[in-house]
Amino acid sequence: MEQINSYLRRLPTWVVYLGGAIPAALLLYGAFFGGLGPDPVKGLERPLGEWGLRFLIASLAVTPLLRVGLRLLKFRRALGLLGFFYILAHFMVWIGLDMGLLWTQIAQDLVKRPYIIVGFAGFLMLLPLAITSNDGVIRRMGGRAWRRLHKLAYPAILAGAVHFLMIGKVYTTEALIYLGLVGVLLVVRLIPQRKRQLQTA
């Protein structure tokens, strides 16, 4: 494990951003050259959201992996931001290409369709996290306030997994795996913290 950590310490963060951009580049290539199937909008919209969820789950896994000796803390911000930008792109494709900027219909869907309500709630929770994910804001907020705000990541990622599960008319194995991963990571992340708080009290 120490060898892996030694390699990770030398790996620059921009490599994560570069690697994270590859799925978006492939999707854009497919959009321009007809590789997204018979419904290119859905072929673009759904994978963008799914990649966003994957990166967010990866960011959530950083702390549990630290407990087994794998040090990925320097990449957590990059993973979280990649997740946010994919979710943002997913949202923009939905309102722009899928809904055609028909704001009345968009507003109706936002209040009538449960899976859209859940997904939009998760997106709104991610917004302040993305806005405050730079060193200058962290210094102005103070570490304690910043960490308290960024606990919104937990319900936001859970909302994303539930949104993905609810999209299909039937529950797919893939969607259940994502939800299960989020559930396990949240339990591992939060329960030991709760125990420490009780011991301190």
Side-chain angles (χ1 to χ4, degrees):
M1 190 68 72
E2 190 54 42
Q3 255 186 333
I4 296 174
N5 288 330
S6 177
Y7 171 75
L8 290 172
R9 281 194 294 270
R10 296 193 300 270
L11 188 69
T13 306
W14 64 262
V15 173
V16 177
Y17 286 109
L18 182 63
I22 291 174
L26 293 175
L27 286 170
L28 286 175
Y29 180 86
F32 283 112
F33 296 100
L36 296 180
D39 188 347
V41 173
K42 291 297 183 186
L44 184 61
E45 180 183 333
R46 183 182 174 96
L48 285 171
E50 191 170 354
W51 275 106
L53 180 59
R54 288 169 181 164
F55 282 117
L56 291 175
I57 291 173
S59 71
L60 186 61
V62 168
T63 298
L65 288 174
L66 181 62
R67 292 174 186 166
V68 297
L70 188 60
R71 301 183 179 278
L72 297 168
L73 280 173
K74 66 180 287 189
F75 306 117
R76 182 164 57 186
R77 183 187 306 182
L79 292 170
L81 286 173
L82 281 168
F84 170 76
F85 285 120
Y86 273 95
I87 297 299
L88 177 63
H90 168 76
F91 180 69
M92 297 304 292
V93 168
W94 176 66
I95 64 172
L97 299 180
D98 195 353
M99 303 299 290
L101 297 177
L102 299 174
W103 298 107
T104 301
Q105 188 174 343
I106 290 170
Q108 290 173 349
D109 277 1
L110 282 172
V111 297
K112 287 183 179 179
R113 297 180 186 271
Y115 72 91
I116 295 180
I117 295 171
V118 173
F120 188 62
F123 173 69
L124 290 180
M125 285 186 278
L126 288 174
L127 272 175
L129 307 187
I131 292 169
T132 57
S133 286
N134 65 80
D135 293 336
V137 173
I138 294 171
R139 283 193 298 269
R140 286 194 294 272
M141 288 183 64
R144 181 176 296 180
W146 184 86
R147 285 190 295 271
R148 189 162 52 243
L149 174 65
H150 276 248
K151 287 181 180 179
L152 278 175
Y154 305 146
I157 297 171
L158 181 60
V162 172
H163 169 74
F164 187 76
L165 183 71
M166 295 172 68
I167 287 175
K169 294 181 180 179
V170 295
Y171 293 161
T172 64
T173 302
E174 184 181 22
L176 290 170
I177 288 172
Y178 287 141
L179 185 60
L181 275 174
V182 171
V184 169
L185 290 171
L186 287 176
V187 168
V188 171
R189 180 70 181 88
L190 294 174
I191 281 188
Q193 179 178 338
R194 181 61 178 164
K195 284 181 179 177
R196 285 196 301 271
Q197 289 173 347
L198 289 173
Q199 288 169 356
T200 302

